Amino acid sequence: MRLGRIASPDGVAFVTIEGDVSDPGAAVVREIAEHPFGTPEFTGRSWPLADVRLLAPILASKVICMGKNYAAHAAEMGGEAPEDPVIFLKPNTAIIGPNVPIQLPADAHPVHHEGELAVVIGRPCKDVPAARAAENILGYTIANDVSARDQQRKDGQWMRAKGHDTFCPVGPWIDTDVDPFDLELRTEVNGQVRQRSRTSLMIHDIGAIVEWASAVMTLLPGDLILTGTPEGVGPIEDSDTVSITIEKIGTLTNPVVRKGKS
């Protein structure tokens, strides 16, 4: 099942997305009565996908991110992969949906893309064993952990560098059925491939990540866990277009603009 969130002529709603999504005129969205957790109930209203605007598919209370979870990315950043998972937070105000511009701060250079598989939590949970992680997951989506590298180096911690408004594009929907173990992840900037890897190359798998994060904090429905980025991160500039594709899920595309541009 594909779960999404839309703006329609009648307002904002959670929906299921059905049919061939490669043809927005053929795909249909069906409105969910309240929220997408558990067994969705439908209002009976529906629209062609082409007639609505996809928003970020979930409103997260928090965004938990994994650092250096691919060995090749750790190496390209000049270090070794840590033995234990390293987690940090992005504010939920950084979240934007498909096709919404990533806004580069006027004083941040360089700003990098980081394509990632994202976990969407499905119910409140704490101290989840890795073997039971799947019971607490609603599904999977795509995210871009946008990062201002100069601020990251200057601050010695990552909150400002990764927490700017628009620095967490998410979407285009949540897939509840996909097996996340071995999916191709590809990031393109202006049609040129920057990142190409597979989720099977994660150092810490999804079960381990959920166990580690839930040992620290209670996870709530809709919370996002970004599982780390592979090698190939690089700069994005004004007027670029970033597209992240994850096999069997879809493609998340966002334009890039520089704030304060005259």
Side-chain angles (χ1 to χ4, degrees):
M1 179 187 298
R2 292 188 183 98
L3 298 169
R5 191 166 146 266
I6 63 160
S8 77
D10 297 320
V12 174
F14 288 107
V15 296
T16 59
I17 303 164
E18 303 171 7
D20 182 2
V21 293
S22 66
D23 181 359
V28 173
V29 299
R30 296 176 61 206
E31 186 179 42
I32 295 172
E34 294 183 1
H35 57 72
F37 307 105
T39 302
E41 296 183 3
F42 296 94
T43 65
R45 296 196 296 182
S46 63
W47 301 269
L49 179 59
D51 291 352
V52 301
R53 179 165 59 91
L54 287 171
L55 307 174
I58 203 69
L59 297 172
S61 73
K62 53 187 171 291
V63 182
I64 303 167
C65 305
M66 283 286 299
K68 299 181 179 179
N69 198 31
Y70 289 78
H73 172 60
E76 77 176 350
M77 297 302 290
E80 295 184 357
E83 181 177 350
D84 292 324
V86 173
I87 58 175
F88 59 95
L89 295 174
K90 292 172 85 83
N92 58 9
T93 47
I95 295 172
I96 55 174
N99 303 311
V100 176
I102 299 167
Q103 298 184 29
L104 308 180
D107 59 349
H109 301 274
V111 176
H112 282 189
H113 61 79
E114 294 192 5
E116 309 198 11
L117 175 70
V119 177
V120 184
I121 296 299
R123 63 185 189 184
C125 57
K126 181 73 169 70
D127 296 321
V128 179
R132 301 190 63 180
E135 300 172 22
N136 299 281
I137 293 172
L138 176 65
Y140 301 89
T141 188
I142 304 168
N144 188 351
D145 177 19
V146 182
S147 305
R149 295 298 185 207
D150 57 337
Q151 295 177 1
Q152 192 174 357
R153 289 190 295 267
K154 180 178 180 180
D155 294 354
Q157 50 84 19
W158 300 353
M159 189 66 185
R160 179 170 70 121
K162 291 173 175 281
H164 289 277
D165 289 355
T166 77
F167 270 28
C168 190
V170 178
W173 42 67
I174 300 163
D175 194 306
T176 64
D177 299 321
V178 69
D179 181 346
F181 172 70
D182 187 28
L183 303 175
E184 183 185 70
L185 184 156
R186 185 176 73 254
T187 302
E188 298 180 2
V189 178
N190 303 328
Q192 296 186 338
V193 176
R194 294 271 190 89
Q195 295 180 281
R196 193 167 208 153
S197 189
R198 303 196 71 85
T199 57
S200 55
L201 296 176
M202 288 182 192
I203 298 166
H204 305 287
D205 65 17
I206 288 167
I209 293 168
V210 172
E211 179 177 51
W212 187 268
S214 68
V216 178
M217 64 194 82
T218 298
L219 306 179
L220 299 176
D223 281 353
L224 290 166
I225 304 179
L226 277 56
T227 58
T229 197
E231 72 277 13
V233 300
I236 51 177
E237 303 289 350
D238 182 65
S239 301
D240 282 348
T241 299
V242 184
S243 293
I244 303 164
T245 299
I246 297 183
E247 181 183 4
K248 299 181 180 178
I249 297 179
T251 299
L252 170 67
T253 297
N254 297 89
V256 181
V257 299
R258 175 71 66 178
K259 290 169 63 176
K261 180 183 176 183
S262 58

